[in-house]
Short mmCIF file of all heavy atoms in Angstrom, two decimals:
data_model
loop_
_atom_site.label_atom_id
_atom_site.label_comp_id
_atom_site.label_asym_id
_atom_site.label_seq_id
_atom_site.Cartn_x
_atom_site.Cartn_y
_atom_site.Cartn_z
N THR A 1292 43.96 75.59 -9.73
CA THR A 1292 42.77 75.15 -10.44
C THR A 1292 43.14 74.86 -11.89
O THR A 1292 44.21 75.24 -12.38
CB THR A 1292 41.66 76.20 -10.38
OG1 THR A 1292 42.10 77.38 -11.07
CG2 THR A 1292 41.30 76.54 -8.95
N TYR A 1293 42.23 74.22 -12.59
CA TYR A 1293 42.47 73.86 -14.00
C TYR A 1293 42.16 75.08 -14.87
O TYR A 1293 41.14 75.15 -15.55
CB TYR A 1293 41.62 72.66 -14.38
CG TYR A 1293 42.05 71.94 -15.64
CD1 TYR A 1293 43.39 71.72 -15.92
CD2 TYR A 1293 41.10 71.45 -16.54
CE1 TYR A 1293 43.79 71.05 -17.06
CE2 TYR A 1293 41.48 70.77 -17.67
CZ TYR A 1293 42.82 70.57 -17.94
OH TYR A 1293 43.21 69.89 -19.08
N ASP A 1294 43.09 76.03 -14.85
CA ASP A 1294 42.89 77.29 -15.54
C ASP A 1294 43.60 77.28 -16.89
O ASP A 1294 44.11 76.25 -17.34
CB ASP A 1294 43.35 78.45 -14.67
CG ASP A 1294 44.82 78.35 -14.27
OD1 ASP A 1294 45.56 77.51 -14.84
OD2 ASP A 1294 45.26 79.11 -13.37
N ALA A 1295 43.62 78.45 -17.54
CA ALA A 1295 44.22 78.55 -18.87
C ALA A 1295 45.70 78.18 -18.86
O ALA A 1295 46.22 77.66 -19.85
CB ALA A 1295 44.03 79.97 -19.42
N PHE A 1296 46.38 78.44 -17.75
CA PHE A 1296 47.80 78.07 -17.64
C PHE A 1296 47.99 76.59 -17.93
O PHE A 1296 48.92 76.20 -18.65
CB PHE A 1296 48.31 78.42 -16.25
CG PHE A 1296 49.73 78.00 -15.98
CD1 PHE A 1296 50.79 78.82 -16.33
CD2 PHE A 1296 50.01 76.79 -15.35
CE1 PHE A 1296 52.10 78.44 -16.09
CE2 PHE A 1296 51.32 76.39 -15.10
CZ PHE A 1296 52.37 77.23 -15.48
N TRP A 1297 47.14 75.75 -17.37
CA TRP A 1297 47.25 74.31 -17.56
C TRP A 1297 46.65 73.86 -18.88
O TRP A 1297 47.21 72.98 -19.56
CB TRP A 1297 46.58 73.56 -16.40
CG TRP A 1297 47.19 73.84 -15.08
CD1 TRP A 1297 46.62 74.51 -14.03
CD2 TRP A 1297 48.50 73.46 -14.64
NE1 TRP A 1297 47.49 74.58 -12.97
CE2 TRP A 1297 48.65 73.94 -13.31
CE3 TRP A 1297 49.55 72.78 -15.23
CZ2 TRP A 1297 49.83 73.74 -12.58
CZ3 TRP A 1297 50.72 72.58 -14.50
CH2 TRP A 1297 50.85 73.06 -13.19
N LYS A 1298 45.53 74.41 -19.25
CA LYS A 1298 44.82 73.93 -20.45
C LYS A 1298 45.63 74.13 -21.72
O LYS A 1298 45.61 73.28 -22.61
CB LYS A 1298 43.46 74.62 -20.56
CG LYS A 1298 42.48 74.17 -19.49
CD LYS A 1298 41.16 74.90 -19.58
CE LYS A 1298 40.20 74.46 -18.49
NZ LYS A 1298 38.91 75.19 -18.54
N GLN A 1299 46.35 75.23 -21.82
CA GLN A 1299 47.14 75.45 -23.03
C GLN A 1299 48.39 74.56 -23.07
O GLN A 1299 49.05 74.47 -24.11
CB GLN A 1299 47.53 76.92 -23.15
CG GLN A 1299 48.42 77.44 -22.06
CD GLN A 1299 48.66 78.94 -22.15
OE1 GLN A 1299 48.28 79.57 -23.13
NE2 GLN A 1299 49.28 79.52 -21.13
N ARG A 1300 48.69 73.91 -21.96
CA ARG A 1300 49.80 72.95 -21.91
C ARG A 1300 49.31 71.51 -22.01
O ARG A 1300 50.12 70.59 -21.96
CB ARG A 1300 50.59 73.14 -20.61
CG ARG A 1300 51.41 74.41 -20.56
CD ARG A 1300 51.91 74.72 -19.17
NE ARG A 1300 52.96 75.73 -19.18
CZ ARG A 1300 52.75 77.04 -19.28
NH1 ARG A 1300 51.50 77.49 -19.38
NH2 ARG A 1300 53.76 77.89 -19.29
N SER A 1301 48.01 71.31 -22.10
CA SER A 1301 47.43 69.96 -22.15
C SER A 1301 47.42 69.48 -23.59
O SER A 1301 46.46 69.70 -24.35
CB SER A 1301 46.02 69.98 -21.57
OG SER A 1301 46.04 70.45 -20.23
N LEU A 1302 48.48 68.79 -23.98
CA LEU A 1302 48.70 68.47 -25.39
C LEU A 1302 47.59 67.64 -26.01
O LEU A 1302 47.32 67.76 -27.21
CB LEU A 1302 50.03 67.72 -25.54
CG LEU A 1302 51.31 68.55 -25.50
CD1 LEU A 1302 52.51 67.65 -25.70
CD2 LEU A 1302 51.29 69.63 -26.57
N TRP A 1303 46.97 66.79 -25.23
CA TRP A 1303 45.95 65.90 -25.80
C TRP A 1303 44.81 66.68 -26.43
O TRP A 1303 44.11 66.16 -27.30
CB TRP A 1303 45.42 64.95 -24.72
CG TRP A 1303 44.77 65.63 -23.55
CD1 TRP A 1303 45.38 66.06 -22.41
CD2 TRP A 1303 43.38 65.96 -23.41
NE1 TRP A 1303 44.46 66.65 -21.57
CE2 TRP A 1303 43.24 66.59 -22.16
CE3 TRP A 1303 42.26 65.78 -24.22
CZ2 TRP A 1303 42.00 67.04 -21.69
CZ3 TRP A 1303 41.03 66.22 -23.75
CH2 TRP A 1303 40.91 66.85 -22.51
N ARG A 1304 44.63 67.92 -26.05
CA ARG A 1304 43.57 68.75 -26.61
C ARG A 1304 43.86 69.17 -28.05
O ARG A 1304 42.94 69.64 -28.76
CB ARG A 1304 43.39 70.01 -25.76
CG ARG A 1304 42.90 69.76 -24.34
CD ARG A 1304 42.96 71.03 -23.51
NE ARG A 1304 42.31 70.85 -22.22
CZ ARG A 1304 41.03 71.14 -21.98
NH1 ARG A 1304 40.27 71.62 -22.96
NH2 ARG A 1304 40.50 70.94 -20.80
N PHE A 1305 45.10 69.04 -28.50
CA PHE A 1305 45.50 69.60 -29.79
C PHE A 1305 46.02 68.54 -30.77
O PHE A 1305 46.69 68.89 -31.75
CB PHE A 1305 46.58 70.66 -29.57
CG PHE A 1305 46.24 71.65 -28.49
CD1 PHE A 1305 46.93 71.65 -27.28
CD2 PHE A 1305 45.22 72.56 -28.65
CE1 PHE A 1305 46.61 72.56 -26.27
CE2 PHE A 1305 44.89 73.48 -27.66
CZ PHE A 1305 45.58 73.47 -26.47
N MET A 1306 45.70 67.28 -30.56
CA MET A 1306 46.28 66.19 -31.34
C MET A 1306 45.63 66.06 -32.72
O MET A 1306 44.99 65.05 -33.04
CB MET A 1306 46.15 64.88 -30.57
CG MET A 1306 47.17 64.70 -29.48
SD MET A 1306 48.82 64.52 -30.16
CE MET A 1306 49.76 65.49 -28.99
N ASP A 1307 45.83 67.07 -33.57
CA ASP A 1307 45.27 67.08 -34.92
C ASP A 1307 46.38 66.98 -35.96
O ASP A 1307 47.53 67.35 -35.71
CB ASP A 1307 44.47 68.36 -35.16
CG ASP A 1307 43.25 68.46 -34.26
OD1 ASP A 1307 42.51 67.46 -34.15
OD2 ASP A 1307 43.05 69.53 -33.64
N LYS A 1308 46.03 66.45 -37.12
CA LYS A 1308 46.93 66.35 -38.27
C LYS A 1308 48.18 65.53 -37.94
O LYS A 1308 49.30 65.88 -38.33
CB LYS A 1308 47.31 67.74 -38.78
CG LYS A 1308 46.13 68.56 -39.26
CD LYS A 1308 46.57 69.93 -39.77
CE LYS A 1308 45.38 70.77 -40.20
NZ LYS A 1308 45.78 72.11 -40.68
N VAL A 1309 47.98 64.45 -37.19
CA VAL A 1309 49.09 63.53 -36.92
C VAL A 1309 49.27 62.65 -38.15
O VAL A 1309 48.35 61.95 -38.56
CB VAL A 1309 48.79 62.67 -35.67
CG1 VAL A 1309 49.92 61.68 -35.42
CG2 VAL A 1309 48.58 63.57 -34.45
N ARG A 1310 50.45 62.67 -38.73
CA ARG A 1310 50.70 61.98 -39.99
C ARG A 1310 51.66 60.81 -39.86
O ARG A 1310 51.92 60.11 -40.86
CB ARG A 1310 51.25 62.97 -41.03
CG ARG A 1310 50.33 64.18 -41.27
CD ARG A 1310 50.92 65.10 -42.34
NE ARG A 1310 50.04 66.26 -42.55
CZ ARG A 1310 50.20 67.43 -41.95
NH1 ARG A 1310 51.20 67.59 -41.09
NH2 ARG A 1310 49.37 68.43 -42.19
N CYS A 1311 52.22 60.61 -38.68
CA CYS A 1311 53.23 59.56 -38.51
C CYS A 1311 52.68 58.42 -37.66
O CYS A 1311 51.66 58.56 -36.98
CB CYS A 1311 54.48 60.13 -37.83
SG CYS A 1311 54.16 60.82 -36.20
N ALA A 1312 53.35 57.29 -37.71
CA ALA A 1312 53.02 56.18 -36.81
C ALA A 1312 53.42 56.56 -35.39
O ALA A 1312 54.46 57.18 -35.18
CB ALA A 1312 53.74 54.91 -37.26
N VAL A 1313 52.59 56.16 -34.42
CA VAL A 1313 52.82 56.55 -33.02
C VAL A 1313 52.85 55.31 -32.14
O VAL A 1313 51.95 54.46 -32.22
CB VAL A 1313 51.72 57.52 -32.52
CG1 VAL A 1313 52.02 57.97 -31.10
CG2 VAL A 1313 51.59 58.72 -33.45
N LEU A 1314 53.89 55.21 -31.32
CA LEU A 1314 54.00 54.15 -30.32
C LEU A 1314 54.01 54.81 -28.94
O LEU A 1314 55.01 55.39 -28.52
CB LEU A 1314 55.28 53.33 -30.52
CG LEU A 1314 55.50 52.17 -29.55
CD1 LEU A 1314 54.48 51.06 -29.80
CD2 LEU A 1314 56.92 51.62 -29.66
N ASN A 1315 52.89 54.75 -28.25
CA ASN A 1315 52.76 55.32 -26.91
C ASN A 1315 53.23 54.29 -25.89
O ASN A 1315 52.81 53.14 -25.92
CB ASN A 1315 51.31 55.67 -26.64
CG ASN A 1315 50.74 56.64 -27.65
OD1 ASN A 1315 50.93 57.84 -27.54
ND2 ASN A 1315 50.04 56.12 -28.68
N VAL A 1316 54.08 54.72 -24.96
CA VAL A 1316 54.69 53.79 -24.01
C VAL A 1316 54.56 54.33 -22.59
O VAL A 1316 54.75 55.53 -22.35
CB VAL A 1316 56.18 53.55 -24.34
CG1 VAL A 1316 56.79 52.53 -23.39
CG2 VAL A 1316 56.34 53.10 -25.79
N GLY A 1317 54.25 53.44 -21.65
CA GLY A 1317 54.18 53.84 -20.26
C GLY A 1317 54.33 52.66 -19.33
O GLY A 1317 54.41 51.50 -19.76
N GLY A 1318 54.36 52.96 -18.03
CA GLY A 1318 54.50 51.93 -17.01
C GLY A 1318 53.30 51.90 -16.09
O GLY A 1318 52.81 52.96 -15.66
N TRP A 1319 52.83 50.71 -15.76
CA TRP A 1319 51.72 50.59 -14.81
C TRP A 1319 52.08 51.17 -13.46
O TRP A 1319 51.19 51.59 -12.71
CB TRP A 1319 51.32 49.13 -14.65
CG TRP A 1319 50.68 48.46 -15.83
CD1 TRP A 1319 51.08 47.30 -16.43
CD2 TRP A 1319 49.52 48.90 -16.54
NE1 TRP A 1319 50.24 46.99 -17.47
CE2 TRP A 1319 49.27 47.95 -17.56
CE3 TRP A 1319 48.65 49.99 -16.44
CZ2 TRP A 1319 48.20 48.06 -18.45
CZ3 TRP A 1319 47.60 50.11 -17.33
CH2 TRP A 1319 47.38 49.15 -18.31
N PHE A 1320 53.36 51.21 -13.13
CA PHE A 1320 53.80 51.69 -11.82
C PHE A 1320 54.61 52.98 -11.94
O PHE A 1320 55.50 53.23 -11.14
CB PHE A 1320 54.61 50.61 -11.12
CG PHE A 1320 53.90 49.27 -11.03
CD1 PHE A 1320 54.41 48.15 -11.67
CD2 PHE A 1320 52.72 49.15 -10.33
CE1 PHE A 1320 53.76 46.93 -11.60
CE2 PHE A 1320 52.06 47.93 -10.25
CZ PHE A 1320 52.58 46.82 -10.89
N ASP A 1321 54.29 53.79 -12.94
CA ASP A 1321 54.97 55.06 -13.14
C ASP A 1321 54.44 56.06 -12.11
O ASP A 1321 53.28 56.47 -12.15
CB ASP A 1321 54.71 55.57 -14.55
CG ASP A 1321 55.54 56.80 -14.90
OD1 ASP A 1321 55.96 57.52 -13.97
OD2 ASP A 1321 55.77 57.03 -16.10
N ALA A 1322 55.30 56.47 -11.19
CA ALA A 1322 54.89 57.37 -10.11
C ALA A 1322 54.83 58.83 -10.55
O ALA A 1322 54.44 59.68 -9.76
CB ALA A 1322 55.86 57.23 -8.93
N GLU A 1323 55.20 59.12 -11.79
CA GLU A 1323 55.25 60.51 -12.25
C GLU A 1323 54.23 60.81 -13.35
O GLU A 1323 53.47 61.77 -13.26
CB GLU A 1323 56.67 60.84 -12.73
CG GLU A 1323 57.71 60.69 -11.63
CD GLU A 1323 59.13 60.92 -12.12
OE1 GLU A 1323 59.35 61.95 -12.78
OE2 GLU A 1323 60.01 60.07 -11.86
N ASP A 1324 54.22 60.01 -14.40
CA ASP A 1324 53.33 60.27 -15.53
C ASP A 1324 52.51 59.02 -15.86
O ASP A 1324 52.68 58.40 -16.93
CB ASP A 1324 54.14 60.70 -16.76
CG ASP A 1324 54.87 62.01 -16.50
OD1 ASP A 1324 54.20 63.03 -16.31
OD2 ASP A 1324 56.12 62.00 -16.48
N PRO A 1325 51.59 58.63 -14.98
CA PRO A 1325 50.86 57.39 -15.21
C PRO A 1325 49.78 57.48 -16.27
O PRO A 1325 49.37 56.45 -16.82
CB PRO A 1325 50.25 57.10 -13.83
CG PRO A 1325 50.08 58.46 -13.21
CD PRO A 1325 51.25 59.26 -13.69
N VAL A 1326 49.27 58.68 -16.56
CA VAL A 1326 48.15 58.79 -17.50
C VAL A 1326 48.53 59.43 -18.82
O VAL A 1326 47.74 59.39 -19.77
CB VAL A 1326 46.97 59.56 -16.86
CG1 VAL A 1326 46.51 58.89 -15.60
CG2 VAL A 1326 47.33 61.01 -16.60
N GLY A 1327 49.73 60.01 -18.93
CA GLY A 1327 50.13 60.65 -20.18
C GLY A 1327 50.02 59.75 -21.40
O GLY A 1327 49.48 60.17 -22.43
N PRO A 1328 50.52 58.50 -21.34
CA PRO A 1328 50.39 57.63 -22.51
C PRO A 1328 48.94 57.42 -22.95
O PRO A 1328 48.66 57.36 -24.15
CB PRO A 1328 51.03 56.32 -22.05
CG PRO A 1328 51.97 56.72 -20.96
CD PRO A 1328 51.30 57.86 -20.27
N PHE A 1329 48.02 57.31 -21.98
CA PHE A 1329 46.62 57.10 -22.33
C PHE A 1329 45.99 58.36 -22.90
O PHE A 1329 45.18 58.30 -23.83
CB PHE A 1329 45.84 56.63 -21.10
CG PHE A 1329 46.24 55.26 -20.63
CD1 PHE A 1329 47.05 55.10 -19.51
CD2 PHE A 1329 45.83 54.13 -21.31
CE1 PHE A 1329 47.43 53.85 -19.09
CE2 PHE A 1329 46.20 52.86 -20.90
CZ PHE A 1329 47.00 52.72 -19.77
N HIS A 1330 46.34 59.53 -22.36
CA HIS A 1330 45.85 60.79 -22.91
C HIS A 1330 46.22 60.91 -24.39
O HIS A 1330 45.37 61.23 -25.25
CB HIS A 1330 46.44 61.98 -22.15
CG HIS A 1330 45.69 62.36 -20.92
ND1 HIS A 1330 44.32 62.45 -20.86
CD2 HIS A 1330 46.13 62.70 -19.67
CE1 HIS A 1330 43.95 62.82 -19.65
NE2 HIS A 1330 45.03 62.98 -18.91
N ILE A 1331 47.50 60.69 -24.72
CA ILE A 1331 47.95 60.85 -26.10
C ILE A 1331 47.37 59.75 -26.98
O ILE A 1331 46.88 60.02 -28.09
CB ILE A 1331 49.48 60.87 -26.18
CG1 ILE A 1331 50.05 62.02 -25.33
CG2 ILE A 1331 49.94 60.99 -27.63
CD1 ILE A 1331 49.57 63.40 -25.75
N TYR A 1332 47.39 58.52 -26.51
CA TYR A 1332 46.85 57.41 -27.31
C TYR A 1332 45.39 57.65 -27.68
O TYR A 1332 45.00 57.53 -28.85
CB TYR A 1332 47.00 56.10 -26.53
CG TYR A 1332 46.23 54.94 -27.15
CD1 TYR A 1332 46.67 54.35 -28.33
CD2 TYR A 1332 45.07 54.46 -26.56
CE1 TYR A 1332 45.96 53.30 -28.91
CE2 TYR A 1332 44.37 53.41 -27.12
CZ TYR A 1332 44.81 52.84 -28.29
OH TYR A 1332 44.09 51.80 -28.85
N ARG A 1333 44.58 58.02 -26.70
CA ARG A 1333 43.15 58.20 -26.97
C ARG A 1333 42.89 59.41 -27.85
O ARG A 1333 42.00 59.38 -28.71
CB ARG A 1333 42.41 58.29 -25.64
CG ARG A 1333 42.32 56.94 -24.94
CD ARG A 1333 41.77 57.02 -23.53
NE ARG A 1333 41.57 55.67 -22.98
CZ ARG A 1333 41.85 55.29 -21.74
NH1 ARG A 1333 42.33 56.19 -20.89
NH2 ARG A 1333 41.64 54.07 -21.34
N ALA A 1334 43.64 60.48 -27.65
CA ALA A 1334 43.43 61.67 -28.48
C ALA A 1334 43.82 61.42 -29.93
O ALA A 1334 43.11 61.82 -30.86
CB ALA A 1334 44.23 62.84 -27.91
N VAL A 1335 44.96 60.76 -30.15
CA VAL A 1335 45.37 60.44 -31.52
C VAL A 1335 44.34 59.50 -32.16
O VAL A 1335 43.96 59.67 -33.32
CB VAL A 1335 46.78 59.81 -31.53
CG1 VAL A 1335 47.13 59.28 -32.92
CG2 VAL A 1335 47.82 60.82 -31.10
N GLU A 1336 43.89 58.53 -31.40
CA GLU A 1336 42.93 57.55 -31.91
C GLU A 1336 41.62 58.23 -32.33
O GLU A 1336 41.06 57.93 -33.40
CB GLU A 1336 42.65 56.50 -30.83
CG GLU A 1336 42.01 55.22 -31.32
CD GLU A 1336 42.98 54.30 -32.03
OE1 GLU A 1336 44.18 54.64 -32.17
OE2 GLU A 1336 42.54 53.24 -32.49
N GLN A 1337 41.14 59.14 -31.54
CA GLN A 1337 39.85 59.77 -31.81
C GLN A 1337 39.93 60.82 -32.92
O GLN A 1337 38.97 60.98 -33.67
CB GLN A 1337 39.34 60.43 -30.52
CG GLN A 1337 38.96 59.43 -29.43
CD GLN A 1337 38.78 60.09 -28.08
OE1 GLN A 1337 38.82 61.32 -27.94
NE2 GLN A 1337 38.58 59.27 -27.04
N ARG A 1338 41.06 61.50 -33.05
CA ARG A 1338 41.12 62.66 -33.93
C ARG A 1338 41.88 62.40 -35.23
O ARG A 1338 41.90 63.27 -36.12
CB ARG A 1338 41.77 63.84 -33.20
CG ARG A 1338 41.03 64.22 -31.92
CD ARG A 1338 41.86 65.11 -31.02
NE ARG A 1338 41.87 66.48 -31.48
CZ ARG A 1338 41.35 67.51 -30.80
NH1 ARG A 1338 40.77 67.29 -29.64
NH2 ARG A 1338 41.41 68.74 -31.28
N ASN A 1339 42.48 61.21 -35.36
CA ASN A 1339 43.30 60.92 -36.53
C ASN A 1339 43.03 59.49 -37.03
O ASN A 1339 43.89 58.62 -36.93
CB ASN A 1339 44.78 61.09 -36.20
CG ASN A 1339 45.11 62.49 -35.70
OD1 ASN A 1339 45.42 63.37 -36.48
ND2 ASN A 1339 45.04 62.68 -34.39
#
């Protein structure tokens, strides 16, 4: 289940005080991490 073990590892929840330029990169056909780039992109966009 989506318990504390996973939530404390969910980086997009903590994307504060980002001071550098960010280039998020991913593949439409990435069989392993298809949503990671969008999680980070949207979190940085909303919080910084």
Side-chain angles (χ1 to χ4, degrees):
T1292 64
Y1293 197 41
D1294 58 12
F1296 176 86
W1297 298 113
K1298 290 178 181 178
Q1299 63 186 351
R1300 289 167 166 79
S1301 301
L1302 282 182
W1303 60 272
R1304 295 171 171 268
F1305 312 110
M1306 282 292 140
D1307 296 313
K1308 299 181 182 179
V1309 178
R1310 303 182 181 95
C1311 60
V1313 183
L1314 181 69
N1315 302 277
V1316 183
W1319 291 127
F1320 307 116
D1321 187 336
E1323 299 176 50
D1324 297 295
V1326 302
F1329 293 103
H1330 275 315
I1331 301 301
Y1332 169 72
R1333 287 172 174 140
V1335 172
E1336 197 76 0
Q1337 292 166 6
R1338 302 164 78 115
N1339 302 271

